[in-house]
Amino acid sequence: MASIQLPRFIRLLPLCSLILAACTLPDNTEKGDVSATSAGWKAQTEQINQLQRYQTRGSFAYIGTTQKTYARFFWQQYSPDNYKLLLTNPVGSTELELIVKDGQTQLTDNKGQKYYSDDPDSMIYQLTGMTIPMENLRQWIVGLPGDAQSYAISNQYHLKALSWAQGMEKWKVTYQSYDEKVSPQLPNRLDIEQGDNRIKLKMDSWTLN
């Protein structure tokens, strides 16, 4: 089993490979259009929670104080707790492949080296320098609040924004738009902010099984 104490390997990818719109986070994410106890929101969350297998692909950007990473991403959910995240460069070569299965994480870097851990967040940070809360991200990506302490809901019963704090880290997520071609409707553009770091996701399409 390989040690994960190695230099960071994520390479900068050309900005031209990604087109993402800027957004401004709201000052108060508790102000939504409808209540979290509304029947419409409960129905939306029930439909999303019933999804067992799905996949989406699109554009990924990580913009921090010391690095900027742009890539194409592919997310495949095999079951509620098993999933894969793949980041590729503009020519289609793998930059990072993360597979989480039965509580264990396998990460493959751009040289084909594999690493293993039961903590995907720490492994990603040690190998890439990116802070990504995977357990919450897998819920945020489908429009669920995860462990958020506060969140806002639109009058279409979509998640609009949320706030989540873990220790000294404070996260804010905003949703710019949803894909109306799938049912239930799922996000196709969201922005995640933590301190000086920002993650931007743009989903080109969803496939629901």
Side-chain angles (χ1 to χ4, degrees):
M1 183 176 296
S3 170
I4 61 176
Q5 300 296 329
L6 292 179
R8 298 171 181 173
F9 67 85
I10 287 290
R11 298 170 291 180
L12 298 186
L13 303 181
L15 180 60
C16 62
S17 68
L18 183 68
I19 301 177
L20 292 173
C23 76
T24 302
L25 291 170
D27 294 329
N28 189 340
T29 59
E30 287 83 2
K31 291 183 179 179
D33 298 320
V34 299
S35 169
T37 61
S38 68
W41 170 242
K42 289 182 178 180
Q44 170 75 355
T45 57
E46 287 175 1
Q47 290 184 63
I48 296 174
N49 283 320
Q50 288 174 2
L51 297 175
Q52 296 295 311
R53 299 169 60 89
Y54 50 85
Q55 56 186 257
T56 185
R57 64 184 70 242
S59 302
F60 169 94
Y62 186 94
I63 304 168
T65 55
T66 60
Q67 71 176 84
K68 292 180 174 62
T69 300
Y70 302 94
R72 296 289 299 172
F73 84 92
F74 173 71
W75 182 288
Q76 185 169 15
Q77 193 81 25
Y78 302 105
S79 68
D81 298 316
N82 299 332
Y83 59 89
K84 177 174 75 173
L85 171 64
L86 176 68
L87 299 182
T88 60
N89 60 32
V91 298
S93 299
T94 296
E95 290 292 330
L96 177 153
E97 181 185 59
L98 183 81
I99 298 175
V100 177
K101 184 177 182 181
D102 300 328
Q104 294 297 310
T105 302
Q106 172 186 293
L107 188 151
T108 305
D109 66 16
N110 56 7
K111 296 179 181 178
Q113 180 66 54
K114 297 183 185 299
Y115 307 89
Y116 302 88
S117 174
D118 58 1
D119 186 347
D121 296 7
S122 295
M123 182 161 58
I124 291 173
Y125 179 74
Q126 290 183 51
L127 290 170
T128 72
M130 296 189 294
T131 301
I132 304 177
M134 295 302 300
E135 181 63 23
N136 274 281
L137 179 63
R138 70 186 186 90
Q139 299 192 65
W140 296 345
I141 201 172
V142 291
L144 293 176
D147 297 326
Q149 287 87 6
S150 63
Y151 54 91
I153 304 161
S154 73
N155 54 21
Q156 286 82 35
Y157 306 111
H158 296 154
L159 194 60
K160 284 178 60 176
L162 64 87
S163 295
W164 174 59
Q166 183 182 48
M168 299 298 292
E169 294 181 351
K170 295 182 179 180
W171 298 78
K172 293 182 179 180
V173 182
T174 53
Y175 294 80
Q176 288 96 31
S177 58
Y178 279 72
D179 188 340
E180 298 179 356
K181 297 188 294 295
V182 294
S183 180
Q185 294 181 8
L186 298 174
N188 59 14
R189 194 183 291 264
L190 64 147
D191 188 285
I192 305 169
E193 183 179 289
Q194 184 269 316
D196 295 326
N197 302 320
R198 174 170 289 187
I199 301 169
K200 300 170 76 67
L201 294 175
K202 178 182 179 296
M203 294 72 142
D204 296 336
S205 63
W206 284 93
T207 300
L208 309 182
N209 295 333

